[in-house]
Amino acid sequence: MPIMEMLLHKRRFLPLNLVRTVSLSSFYPKSELEIESVDIIDNIVNIYAHGSLEHGFCPYCGTKSHKVHSRYIRHVYDLPILGKSSVLHLRMRKFFCMNPECKYRTFAEQPGIEIFRYRRRTRRCEIVQYRNALKHSSNTSHKLLLGQGICLSS
């Protein structure tokens, strides 16, 4: 699809050959994610990705597991891309822990060191928020972050 044609659509996709040449490990160190697709809707860059490994490691006992329990979608906010807000939509898996001595039966796949468990923002996005919060009042910080395209609540 020509670039001009992509710009005319409200929902725009990056060409698949471009998506295949870029992995999230280029942006996030030690990321175990692969990009499925990228689109831009209402000034928000949506990045759809999934885990690249065929297995998971139990964070409680370290046992490797291939047995998938279920899947779910996780939405994580990141720093803006070229002035547009960005959201990672991660298709994550839950695995069964195969260690009979582990007290946890299931565990969730971990996407790498940039995205922590139970968090809704990447580590680098949190750092920008914390730095702004320490330098400015809450109202000033809120306005600055919104002006940069960083979502503060979800």
Side-chain angles (χ1 to χ4, degrees), residues 7 14-15 21 25 28 30 38-39 43 52 64 67 70 72 83 85 98 106 108 114 118 121 132 134 138 143 146 149:
L7 294 174
L14 290 178
T21 61
S25 60
Y28 308 108
K30 298 185 181 178
V38 177
D39 67 17
N43 222 22
S52 61
K64 183 178 180 179
K67 192 171 180 184
S70 59
Y72 65 99
S85 297
M98 304 311 285
T106 62
E114 187 63 32
Y118 311 114
R121 290 173 190 79
N132 270 288
L134 292 173
S138 61
K143 290 175 186 174
L146 283 178

Side-chain angles (χ1 to χ4, degrees), residues 22-36 47-59 64-65 74 88-93 95 107-116:
V22 178
S23 72
L24 285 180
S25 60
S26 305
F27 303 103
Y28 308 108
K30 298 185 181 178
S31 173
E32 295 161 349
L33 297 169
E34 287 182 7
I35 296 176
E36 295 173 6
I47 302 170
Y48 302 91
H50 66 275
S52 61
L53 300 177
E54 294 179 4
H55 58 275
F57 291 97
C58 178
K64 183 178 180 179
S65 176
R74 186 171 169 195
L88 300 171
H89 303 277
L90 308 175
R91 190 167 38 114
M92 306 304 292
R93 299 170 290 181
F95 290 93
F107 63 91
E109 178 177 30
Q110 298 304 309
I113 63 171
E114 187 63 32
I115 303 167
F116 296 120

Side-chain angles (χ1 to χ4, degrees), residues 60-142:
Y60 310 106
C61 70
T63 304
K64 183 178 180 179
S65 176
H66 291 277
K67 192 171 180 184
V68 177
H69 174 273
S70 59
R71 289 177 170 76
Y72 65 99
I73 303 293
R74 186 171 169 195
H75 309 283
V76 180
Y77 293 94
D78 194 16
L79 293 176
I81 299 173
L82 299 172
K84 298 179 189 311
S85 297
S86 63
V87 181
L88 300 171
H89 303 277
L90 308 175
R91 190 167 38 114
M92 306 304 292
R93 299 170 290 181
K94 281 190 164 186
F95 290 93
F96 285 104
C97 182
M98 304 311 285
N99 182 359
E101 296 177 9
C102 183
K103 66 179 184 174
Y104 296 94
R105 295 289 155 234
T106 62
F107 63 91
E109 178 177 30
Q110 298 304 309
I113 63 171
E114 187 63 32
I115 303 167
F116 296 120
R117 278 194 275 179
Y118 311 114
R119 303 276 178 92
R120 295 179 188 256
R121 290 173 190 79
T122 60
R123 185 175 61 89
R124 63 189 195 158
C125 188
E126 287 180 350
I127 288 170
V128 169
Q129 286 181 309
Y130 294 148
R131 286 182 180 160
N132 270 288
L134 292 173
K135 287 182 184 178
H136 309 287
S137 69
S138 61
N139 288 335
T140 304
S141 180
H142 180 77

